[in-house]
Amino acid sequence: MFADLSRVKLFVKPGATDMRKQQAGLSAVVQNIMQADPFTGSLYLFCNRKRNLLKILYWETNGFCVWQKRLEQGTFPWPKDEAEAREINTRQLRLLLEGLDIWRAHKRINYTEVA
């Protein structure tokens, strides 16, 4: 992947996506379903129904790029609906690609004083 992850936003499309779609079809999903602009350079993540195939779509200077990962065993944790989906950060992307469930992970607690 050549995108500078420190400068882009990462968006997850909840639910299953037809993985027969390539650049044009996935960019149409971004525009029509996610109501976003695929030309901003942001990364858009999609997963299939079996949750063993993940695709990332992004615009880079003069064309779309699609990155794909297929698991030989296991499944990706994936949000089922809009309530669970959200923008994620680079660290969460790395955890997701490793198969860790970022949607059900413990949330960080910041303490201000000890009682």
Side-chain angles (χ1 to χ4, degrees):
M1 215 186 312
F2 298 105
D4 183 2
L5 295 180
S6 65
R7 296 178 181 222
V8 299
K9 294 182 178 184
L10 299 107
F11 298 99
V12 174
K13 193 291 192 170
T17 301
D18 182 357
M19 286 296 139
R20 294 174 291 181
K21 294 181 188 305
Q22 297 300 318
Q23 293 95 334
L26 293 174
S27 64
V29 169
V30 170
Q31 287 179 327
N32 301 328
I33 297 173
M34 298 176 74
Q35 300 295 309
D37 181 5
F39 300 103
T40 61
S42 297
L43 275 67
Y44 299 94
L45 287 76
F46 306 90
C47 194
N48 67 343
R49 188 170 310 282
K50 290 182 181 180
R51 295 185 6 234
N52 67 342
L53 181 66
L54 182 131
K55 286 188 179 182
I56 299 175
L57 173 78
Y58 62 99
W59 176 262
E60 187 173 71
T61 311
N62 59 358
F64 282 109
C65 301
V66 175
W67 185 87
Q68 174 179 305
K69 181 173 182 175
R70 182 175 62 95
L71 297 176
E72 295 300 321
Q73 293 182 353
T75 58
F76 288 107
W78 205 254
K80 294 177 179 66
D81 56 33
E82 292 289 335
E84 291 183 333
R86 64 176 188 264
E87 183 179 342
I88 63 173
N89 60 38
T90 306
R91 181 173 174 263
Q92 291 170 319
L93 173 62
R94 287 190 182 105
L95 292 172
L96 180 65
L97 292 175
E98 291 177 14
L100 298 173
D101 193 345
I102 62 173
W103 286 275
R104 287 164 192 56
H106 294 285
K107 291 191 169 51
R108 175 175 233 155
I109 299 172
N110 293 320
Y111 293 99
T112 55
E113 62 183 68
V114 177

